[in-house]
Amino acid sequence: MDIESGSQNDGAGMIRLTLEGVAVRRGERQLFSGLDLTIRPGEAVALTGANGAGKSSLLRAIAGLLTPEAGRIRFDDKGQDLDLEVARTRHLHLIGHHDGFRSGRTARDELAFQVGWCGGGPGGIDEAVRALGLEGLMDLEVRRLSPGQPRRLALSR
């Protein structure tokens, strides 16, 4: 597994992610150990590697869906550690391999359902749709969207 990072913007108001000595094991297989990484506000990271190298497992550990065997995962804002659950709930959005949409619903109905299910209110939906350029897609059934469009719909959630 390889990790490359680069700066994208000044990162104002963003959270820093730090991994210290993180190790992940799946069953009897050690995927990686001793992983140290800091992603500063405004940086982008490319996570690459062969199938089974641990890329998805690393993301699941950061998201709190998988407990690392060793090490520490921290989120901080201007040097102040954030509670992991609060940080993951308010500042982290993971889009996995499956988007969880029902193909027969329109994008509008699916987004409204998903946002309501996750405890969000309807107020931000229009803003998210505009920000991700989804206005012309909202009346289409999810199954009719191109492969990238459901990803944008998932991000709008």
Side-chain angles (χ1 to χ4, degrees), residues 78-98:
K78 299 178 185 84
Q80 299 291 327
D81 278 354
L82 299 174
D83 176 86
L84 276 178
E85 290 309 312
V86 170
R88 286 174 171 145
T89 302
R90 294 185 185 163
H91 302 288
L92 182 69
H93 305 284
L94 174 67
I95 297 178
H97 299 296
H98 304 286

Side-chain angles (χ1 to χ4, degrees), residues 71-128:
R72 183 173 177 214
I73 297 172
R74 293 185 315 128
F75 294 88
D76 72 76
D77 182 17
K78 299 178 185 84
Q80 299 291 327
D81 278 354
L82 299 174
D83 176 86
L84 276 178
E85 290 309 312
V86 170
R88 286 174 171 145
T89 302
R90 294 185 185 163
H91 302 288
L92 182 69
H93 305 284
L94 174 67
I95 297 178
H97 299 296
H98 304 286
D99 55 37
F101 294 132
R102 290 194 176 184
S103 62
R105 287 185 180 163
T106 66
R108 181 182 322 284
D109 290 342
E110 189 59 19
L111 182 57
F113 170 79
Q114 294 278 332
V115 169
W117 183 71
C118 294
I125 292 176
D126 292 338
E127 181 181 336

Side-chain angles (χ1 to χ4, degrees), residues 8-156:
Q8 297 296 308
N9 61 43
D10 69 1
M14 298 171 72
I15 305 302
R16 178 172 55 186
L17 169 66
T18 303
L19 284 68
E20 300 168 341
V22 173
V24 170
R25 175 180 297 276
R26 296 299 298 249
E28 298 298 313
R29 186 164 171 243
Q30 182 79 46
L31 296 177
F32 56 86
S33 62
L35 179 61
D36 294 316
L37 173 68
T38 298
I39 304 172
R40 291 170 187 81
E43 288 186 335
V45 174
L47 185 60
T48 61
N51 289 345
K55 301 177 300 291
S56 295
S57 295
L58 172 61
L59 295 175
R60 290 175 56 81
I62 292 168
L65 302 173
L66 178 71
T67 303
E69 180 180 55
R72 183 173 177 214
I73 297 172
R74 293 185 315 128
F75 294 88
D76 72 76
D77 182 17
K78 299 178 185 84
Q80 299 291 327
D81 278 354
L82 299 174
D83 176 86
L84 276 178
E85 290 309 312
V86 170
R88 286 174 171 145
T89 302
R90 294 185 185 163
H91 302 288
L92 182 69
H93 305 284
L94 174 67
I95 297 178
H97 299 296
H98 304 286
D99 55 37
F101 294 132
R102 290 194 176 184
S103 62
R105 287 185 180 163
T106 66
R108 181 182 322 284
D109 290 342
E110 189 59 19
L111 182 57
F113 170 79
Q114 294 278 332
V115 169
W117 183 71
C118 294
I125 292 176
D126 292 338
E127 181 181 336
V129 166
R130 276 192 304 278
L132 291 159
L134 296 168
E135 300 94 335
L137 307 175
M138 297 308 290
D139 293 322
L140 295 175
E141 290 180 344
V142 172
R143 70 172 151 242
R144 304 221 183 269
L145 301 178
S146 72
Q149 291 168 336
R151 293 288 185 215
R152 289 186 7 234
L153 187 63
L155 283 170
S156 71

